Amino acid sequence: MILFDQIIFGPIHSRRLGLSLGVNLLPIDAKICSFNCIYCECGFNTTMHDSPIPTRDQVRETLDAKLHEMVAEGQIPDVITFAGNGEPTLHAEFEGIIDDTIALRNKYCPTAKVSVLSNSTRIHKPHIFAALNKVDNNILKFDSAIDRTMKLMDQPVGKHINVAWFIEHLKKFDGRLIIQTMFLRGEVQGEKLDNTTDEEVEAWIQALEQIRPQQVMMYSLDREAPTQNLQKVSVDELNIIAEKVRAKGFDVSVAG
C-alpha cells in the first residue's frame, strides 16, 4: 500500500486530471478516513500514528515554496489536488486551507485548477460545503446507489451514512460537483460484489439524474488493493456503461 510521506507531493501525472500537485492534510505515517474502502491504494484505516496533522500555516508555507520552485523551473501544474492519506475534509481548518490555496494558485499559476477528492461524508457540514463550492473541481465519491453495495465497497465509519443521505446532500450543490465512481467485482466478507450489473447501473443512473453533476468520472482498479479477490473492470465494459450515462445528457470520462 502507498502512504504519502509529505504534505505536498508530486507533481504526478493523474489519469483524470493531468499534471497534478498533491496536498496531503493528514499524518504522513497513517491512513485516516471516514470510509475504509476495500480498494484504497493507501490501505485500510490506521488507529495509531506518530506524526502530527499538519497545521494550516505548514500547508500554506510548504505549498508556497513548492509552487515558487515549480514556476521558476517552468513547470506549471494543471491542478492542485487535495487527496493524500485519507479524507482531506477531516482537517479542522479545511476551509481556511482552501482559501490559502486559491490565493497561492492565483499568485503563481492562475491557469491551474484546485481540486478536492472527497468521499462526500462531510458535505453536510456548512464549512465543508462552503469550501467545496469555492474549488474548481469538487470531485465527490458515489460508488453505488444500492446500500448493501456501497457499504461493502466503502465501509463507512459513520452510522448515519446511507445512499439516500448521499443523494440528499449531493443534490444541494446544484450541479457544481463531479461524481467519481469506482467499478469493480469480487468477493468481500463472503459476499459477491459487482456494481456493474444491470440493477446496479440502473439505480446509479437514476441517482445521477437526481444529483445532476456537471461531470461523471468512471474508473476501475489501477493499483494494488488491500482486499484480495477484487477484479478490475475493463475499459470496454466501462465504456458501455458510460454510453448509457451519456445518453442521459451527462459529460462522462473513463479511465482504465
Side-chain angles (χ1 to χ4, degrees):
M1 299 300 106
I2 302 168
L3 286 177
F4 298 94
D5 61 359
Q6 301 176 64
I7 298 172
I8 306 299
F9 57 93
I12 60 173
H13 286 277
S14 165
R15 291 187 293 166
R16 297 176 292 278
L17 300 172
L19 187 66
S20 174
L21 185 64
V23 184
N24 172 39
L25 300 184
L26 295 163
I28 61 173
D29 61 349
K31 157 80 181 306
I32 299 177
C33 196
S34 45
F35 270 177
N36 204 16
C37 295
I38 60 173
Y39 57 81
C40 182
E41 67 184 29
C42 295
F44 289 124
N45 287 344
T46 311
T47 55
M48 300 293 291
H49 59 90
D50 295 320
S51 63
I53 291 175
T55 66
R56 176 180 175 178
D57 287 344
Q58 286 175 318
V59 175
R60 183 183 65 251
E61 290 165 6
T62 309
L63 181 59
D64 191 326
K66 183 63 176 179
L67 288 175
H68 183 273
E69 173 191 314
M70 289 180 69
V71 171
E73 295 174 352
Q75 189 180 38
I76 307 299
D78 296 311
V79 62
I80 301 167
T81 306
F82 286 81
N85 299 335
E87 173 54 37
T89 65
L90 289 171
H91 197 291
E93 296 185 276
F94 180 74
E95 186 176 13
I97 291 171
I98 291 296
D99 290 337
D100 295 342
T101 301
I102 291 171
L104 289 170
R105 182 274 308 274
N106 293 344
K107 175 182 177 182
Y108 287 110
C109 48
T111 60
K113 306 292 187 185
V114 176
S115 299
V116 177
L117 299 177
S118 170
N119 64 21
S120 312
T121 56
R122 289 171 55 78
I123 56 177
H124 62 299
K125 303 280 187 182
H127 65 290
I128 302 299
F129 182 80
L132 292 175
N133 269 300
K134 297 175 185 179
V135 304
D136 301 291
N137 296 322
N138 172 27
I139 304 172
L140 296 172
K141 180 188 297 292
F142 186 71
D143 282 337
S144 174
I146 295 177
D147 274 312
R148 171 192 166 276
T149 307
M150 182 274 289
K151 289 174 181 176
L152 277 177
M153 287 182 68
D154 301 332
Q155 300 190 69
V157 175
K159 294 182 179 178
H160 66 287
I161 300 294
N162 58 41
V163 166
W165 184 93
F166 276 125
I167 293 172
E168 175 191 350
H169 289 285
L170 290 167
K171 285 165 59 177
K172 293 178 182 177
F173 285 100
D174 290 328
R176 282 205 78 249
L177 75 163
I178 298 169
I179 288 294
Q180 184 184 71
T181 301
M182 163 67 79
F183 286 93
L184 50 75
R185 302 186 180 96
E187 185 174 309
V188 183
Q189 300 165 6
E191 294 192 61
K192 295 291 185 184
L193 171 67
D194 183 352
N195 65 337
T196 71
T197 66
D198 290 344
E199 179 190 13
E200 286 279 350
V201 171
E202 181 179 347
W204 178 67
I205 291 175
Q206 288 177 357
L208 293 178
E209 290 184 292
Q210 295 183 66
I211 299 164
R212 306 304 305 177
Q214 66 193 49
Q215 186 183 0
V216 179
M217 290 180 170
M218 298 171 52
Y219 67 126
S220 192
L221 296 170
D222 186 49
R223 299 183 178 92
E224 183 183 359
T227 301
Q228 302 300 309
N229 303 319
L230 298 182
Q231 301 166 20
K232 179 179 178 129
V233 176
S234 72
V235 172
D236 288 344
E237 290 178 279
L238 292 177
N239 280 325
I240 290 170
I241 299 171
E243 284 306 312
K244 295 179 181 180
V245 184
R246 292 187 183 108
K248 299 293 185 179
F250 293 103
D251 177 19
V252 184
S253 68
V254 173

